């Protein structure tokens, strides 16, 4: 695999901009006052699928060959990546099959079906679903789309960081959630090309630390299980392409707890009036954890997705009420 470049991100923008408008990037006074730094929030939860990954899906599906489109595509996802492939496949007339783990977010699964893709539930988590998908791709001749080891996905996602730095060229720090690493890799490629002094900090769940452990140790580390309600962060296995990019370019990766994620969801709701899912609040959770080191800085935070279930949001709100 060839790592995508800044030029690839610029090329992706020419495609993505035909189908998606830039999402709001807001300086949030109430959030800034609470955290002690200048907080700017990128609202990718307002994308047509409620998540940033649609950018990568459009860039990749639009560039498939006629034969690949005719064969159809298949991918594994806990939700938002699957939504991106389903959305782009509908846009370009491609049949799509999404393999998801049993017990996946029902809102995301229904949304994938509503976009016309087929959904197959297999395995206890993302990585078991991925193994099923890979076997089906080999057996039936689908074009397999990996959720991270795809240069075109990463380049497409990079367009959101172009938007951030066009509006905030003097950014000091960008916080990014880390699941498979496509978003974090894209942030690194763009930020370091525009201004190498910008720090990119990845945020991963304590309950799904495979990328953190791999980055820290310098070797590929798989975990036995994941324990996080943030399905966008729930990966047990690091991936070659994104790890290669992050090892070279990311400044730091930190871990946050489930309580940190829940608190960040509530803080974003209170201060920005935006709904974030678990992974979507990870950037903010990481910045809260590092707030003492960020005083006086311009900090970009990403709400990477807003596809939280009403049941989960009620649970978080009730727990907060009970703690008062």
């Amino acid at each position: 695999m060839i790592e995508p470049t800044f030029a690839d991100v610029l090329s992706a923008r020419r495609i993505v901009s035909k189908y998606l408008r830039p999402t709001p990037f807001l300086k949030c006074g109430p959030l800034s006052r609470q955290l002690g730094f200048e907080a700017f929030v990128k609202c990718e939860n307002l994308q047509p699928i409620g998540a940033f990954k649609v950018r990568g899906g459009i860039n990749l599906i639009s560039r498939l060959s006629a034969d690949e489109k005719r064969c159809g595509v298949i991918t594994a996802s806990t939700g938002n990546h699957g939504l991106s492939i389903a959305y782009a496949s509908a846009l370009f007339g491609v049949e799509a099959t999404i393999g998801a783990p049993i017990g996946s977010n029902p809102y995301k699964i229904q949304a994938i079906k509503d976009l016309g893709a087929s959904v197959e539930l297999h395995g206890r988590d993302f990585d078991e679903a991925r193994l099923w998908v890979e076997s089906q791709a080999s057996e039936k001749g689908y074009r397999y789309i990996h959720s991270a080891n795809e240069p075109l996905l990463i380049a497409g996602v990079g367009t959101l960081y172009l938007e951030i730095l066009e509006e905030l060229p003097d950014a000091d720090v960008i916080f990014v959630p880390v699941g498979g690493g496509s978003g974090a890799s894209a942030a690194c490629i763009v930020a370091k090309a525009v201004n190498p002094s910008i720090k990119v900090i990845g945020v991963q769940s304590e309950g799904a630390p495979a990328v953190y452990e791999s980055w820290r140790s310098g070797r590929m580390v798989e975990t036995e299980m994941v324990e996080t309600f943030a399905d966008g962060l729930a990966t047990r296995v690091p991936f070659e392409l994104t790890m290669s990019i992050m090892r070279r370019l990311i400044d730091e990766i930190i871990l946050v707890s489930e309580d940190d994620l829940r608190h960040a969801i509530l803080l974003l709701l209170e201060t920005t009036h935006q709904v974030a899912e678990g992974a979507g609040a990870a950037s903010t959770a990481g910045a809260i954890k590092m707030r003492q080191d960020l005083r006086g800085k311009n900090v970009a935070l990403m709400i990477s997705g807003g596809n939280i279930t009403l049941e989960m949001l009620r649970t978080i709100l009730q727990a907060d009420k009970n703690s008062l």
Side-chain angles (χ1 to χ4, degrees), residues 105-108 229 231 265-266 269 275-278 306-319:
N105 180 322
Y107 173 87
K108 295 180 181 180
F229 75 92
D231 46 33
I265 287 172
L266 293 176
L269 187 59
V275 175
E277 60 187 277
N307 295 321
I308 191 170
T309 65
L310 186 56
E311 179 183 4
M312 177 58 71
L313 187 56
R314 281 179 179 146
T315 299
I316 293 171
L317 289 167
Q318 186 62 45

Side-chain angles (χ1 to χ4, degrees), residues 84-99:
S84 78
I85 299 305
Y87 182 90
S89 295
L91 198 61
F92 296 104
V94 178
E95 290 190 6
T97 301
I98 313 300

Side-chain angles (χ1 to χ4, degrees), residues 93 157 233 283 313 319:
V157 169
L233 306 179
S283 294
L313 187 56

